[in-house]
């Protein structure tokens, strides 16, 4: 029984010390509310519509042209903003095509939902 009391006491001491390490936020601080921000894709990202059409900077392009243009600019990390209703297999095919065109990494830009 004494061993159990010692363990509980040590846990209590640990939690008291660990809890005071992080400084509390100032009382009058108001944090930014991100739910009212307008969402925009990164300027170097290509948008993939539901039907598979690729748009870069608002103009339709082919996957090869997008890859060639971004790689010529020195960006070997390419970004895609797919439509929610784009079939997953089509997205995988587009990513494979970008990798074969020379992209070292393809990032999918998605919306983070707050729950």
């Amino acid at each position: 029984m004494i061993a159990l009391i010692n363990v509980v006491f040590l846990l209590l001491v640990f939690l008291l010390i660990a809890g005071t390490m992080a400084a509390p936020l100032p009382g009058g601080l108001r944090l930014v509310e991100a739910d009212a921000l307008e969402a925009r894709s990164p300027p170097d990202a290509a948008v993939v519509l539901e039907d598979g059409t690729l748009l870069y900077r608002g103009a339709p392009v082919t996957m090869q042209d997008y890859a060639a243009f971004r790689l010529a600019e020195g960006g070997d990390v390419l970004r895609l903003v797919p439509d929610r209703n784009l079939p997953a297999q089509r997205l995988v095919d587009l990513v494979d095509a970008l990798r074969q065109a020379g992209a070292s990494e393809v990032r999918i830009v998605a919306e983070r939902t707050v729950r």
Side-chain angles (χ1 to χ4, degrees), residues 14 19 24-25 29 33 46 64 80-81 83 87 89 93 98:
F14 172 76
L25 295 174
L29 179 67
E33 294 181 12
Q64 293 76 19
L80 289 178
V81 182
D83 186 276
Q89 187 58 51
D93 293 342
L98 286 174

Side-chain angles (χ1 to χ4, degrees), residues 21-46:
M21 293 181 91
L25 295 174
L29 179 67
R30 293 182 49 125
L31 298 175
V32 174
E33 294 181 12
D35 61 345
L37 296 178
E38 180 181 332
R40 294 191 315 193
S41 63
D44 61 345

Side-chain angles (χ1 to χ4, degrees), residues 35-98:
D35 61 345
L37 296 178
E38 180 181 332
R40 294 191 315 193
S41 63
D44 61 345
V47 176
V48 185
L49 300 179
E50 180 179 358
D51 63 356
T53 304
L54 186 70
L55 301 175
Y56 181 61
R57 296 184 179 168
V61 296
T62 65
M63 188 61 61
Q64 293 76 19
D65 290 342
Y66 169 65
F69 184 74
R70 288 292 301 136
L71 293 172
E73 286 182 333
D76 60 342
V77 176
L78 305 181
R79 291 177 177 80
L80 289 178
V81 182
D83 186 276
R84 179 183 309 249
N85 297 321
L86 179 72
Q89 187 58 51
R90 177 71 176 134
L91 181 61
V92 170
D93 293 342
L94 293 173
V95 170
D96 286 341
L98 286 174

